[in-house]
Amino acid sequence: MIRVVAIWAANIVALLLAETYTEGLTIDPEWRVITAGAVFGVINWAVKPVLRKLAAPLIILTLGIALFGVNLLAVYLASEVSSGFELDDLNAAVSATFWLWLVNVIVQSMLAIHARRRQHPDPATRPGRVSARPRSSGS
C-alpha cells in the first residue's frame, strides 16, 4: 500500500513540475492534479504493460528508445481520460513525459533500495556488498 501511495504522490509531483516548466500543459483547476496522478497510475498499471508487449519488436529494434513512445502514449491517454489535464501539442506531451519519467525513475529506485534493505537488514548480507572481514574457516 505504501508503494501505491508513493507512486501516486510521485505522479502528482511530476505533473506539477511538468505544468510549471512546460508551455502547453494545463491542469485546471489545480486539485485535478490529484485525479490526473491517479489516472496516470492506473494507466501505468493496466495499459502500459499491454502496450509494451505490443511494441516489443520495435523496442528491441530501437534498443529501448521506443519505450519513450510508449510512455508518451500513456501520458496522452491520461490527458484524454482525466478532465482538467490538457495537452496543447506534441511538445507539451514530450515534456510532460520527460518529467513523469524523471520523477518516477527516482521514486522507483528509492523504493527498490527500501525493498532491498527490508530483505537484507544486515548490511554484510546484502547482495553486491564486499566485506572487509575475513571469513572464518569453520574450525
Side-chain angles (χ1 to χ4, degrees):
M1 186 63 163
I2 292 174
R3 185 177 179 86
V4 172
V5 172
I7 292 171
W8 185 21
N11 287 337
I12 291 170
V13 168
L15 286 170
L16 288 172
L17 284 170
E19 183 185 25
T20 302
Y21 295 109
T22 302
E23 288 185 30
L25 171 75
T26 54
I27 300 173
D28 190 44
E30 284 294 320
W31 64 268
R32 292 285 184 158
V33 73
I34 296 169
T35 58
V39 167
F40 188 72
V42 168
I43 288 173
N44 275 341
W45 173 73
V47 178
K48 198 169 166 184
V50 174
L51 293 175
R52 279 186 177 170
K53 284 188 181 15
L54 291 173
L58 188 60
I59 292 169
I60 292 168
L61 285 174
T62 61
L63 302 175
I65 294 172
L67 279 173
F68 189 81
V70 170
N71 291 336
L72 186 66
L73 186 56
V75 169
Y76 175 74
L77 286 172
S79 72
E80 289 297 313
V81 171
S82 180
S83 63
F85 174 32
E86 303 291 329
L87 294 169
D88 291 344
D89 56 8
L90 182 62
N91 289 335
V94 168
S95 180
T97 302
F98 170 77
W99 285 106
L100 283 157
W101 168 81
L102 181 66
V103 171
N104 279 306
V105 162
I106 293 168
V107 170
Q108 293 289 345
S109 64
M110 289 171 44
L111 289 173
I113 290 169
H114 177 71
R116 204 172 326 141
R117 284 190 179 152
R118 283 185 33 201
Q119 287 176 345
H120 302 282
D122 180 18
T125 63
R126 285 192 198 133
R129 183 78 181 221
V130 178
S131 178
R133 291 183 274 171
R135 293 186 180 189
S136 63
S137 60
S139 354

